[in-house]
Amino acid sequence: TPQMTAGDVMTAPVLTCGEDDSVAKVSKILERRGITGMPVVSSKASTGGGGSNGEGVLVGIVTVHELRRATANKINPAKPVTSVMVKRDRLSSVTTEMSVREIEELLIADDVGRLPILSADGSGRVEGILTRTDLLRQRAFYKSLHYHNKGFSNSLADRQAWLKLRNKLKQFDIN
């Protein structure tokens, strides 16, 4: 049987924030969406920050851990998220073609809960995100869960309706 890849199990499109977004804005987005982290992409390539669909080039990742540390250290919440994020050079590089087994080893070795998935073309563009939960969904623990991490659809054509809906809902994002 062919080995599953990151592209098979990642969540896509992924919610990202721009490098110029404030610590306060990113904190509100994470809280509102009920997520614990997201990739930070270059503002030049970002499609609006705080609610882009992974269109930008990865510059880092921010999690609730960094945001809590920033709050504890009394970092000005108006500062850009780049002042608290984990920079790209400290992240393991993962592409859509990497095997799930290799990714599991990275998650354990790096002791992280998520890895941004980059385009296999070397552009650094964020294609998706893979979390420990995404991996668990693929295992027997979640046999009855029929969520495919692709907007509830396997085919790209079927995902278009979900993507249009997500874009319409962006108007309600926190600025």
Side-chain angles (χ1 to χ4, degrees):
T1 60
Q3 210 169 9
M4 291 181 75
T5 65
D8 296 325
V9 297
M10 70 183 184
T11 298
V14 62
L15 184 69
T16 63
C17 62
E19 61 189 338
D20 296 329
D21 289 340
S22 72
V23 169
K25 179 180 179 179
V26 173
S27 294
K28 286 178 187 170
I29 292 166
L30 292 180
E31 184 179 334
R32 181 170 177 241
R33 299 292 179 110
I35 56 177
T36 57
M38 71 172 121
V40 180
V41 297
S42 61
S43 294
K44 298 180 271 216
S46 176
T47 57
S52 70
N53 282 332
E55 298 289 327
V57 175
L58 182 72
V59 295
I61 196 162
V62 64
T63 70
V64 293
H65 302 296
E66 283 82 37
L67 296 172
R68 283 186 196 130
R69 195 173 309 122
T71 301
N73 292 331
K74 299 190 184 337
I75 300 286
N76 181 348
K79 281 189 131 185
V81 72
T82 51
S83 63
V84 299
M85 73 178 188
V86 176
K87 293 182 180 17
R88 181 177 178 179
D89 61 359
R90 291 187 45 221
L91 297 172
S92 294
S93 184
V94 180
T95 66
T96 53
E97 305 302 315
M98 189 176 266
S99 77
V100 168
R101 179 166 302 286
E102 292 172 298
I103 292 169
E104 288 172 343
E105 290 171 3
L106 276 176
L107 284 169
I108 292 168
D110 293 352
D111 192 27
V112 294
R114 74 205 42 77
L115 289 169
I117 309 299
L118 305 180
S119 174
D121 65 10
S123 67
R125 192 182 68 228
V126 178
E127 292 284 325
I129 195 160
L130 194 110
T131 66
R132 291 178 187 167
T133 304
D134 293 331
L135 293 174
L136 286 172
R137 281 190 185 111
Q138 303 305 317
R139 305 258 179 212
F141 304 113
Y142 286 94
K143 265 188 189 164
S144 63
L145 190 58
H146 298 292
Y147 173 77
H148 298 291
N149 296 349
K150 309 278 190 216
F152 298 99
S153 175
N154 277 332
S155 88
L156 196 54
D158 292 342
R159 288 173 54 199
Q160 294 307 314
W162 285 104
L163 294 175
K164 284 180 185 173
L165 176 62
R166 285 183 181 177
N167 285 333
K168 284 181 184 176
L169 293 175
K170 277 185 187 180
Q171 66 182 318
F172 300 107
D173 279 354
I174 299 168
N175 289 327

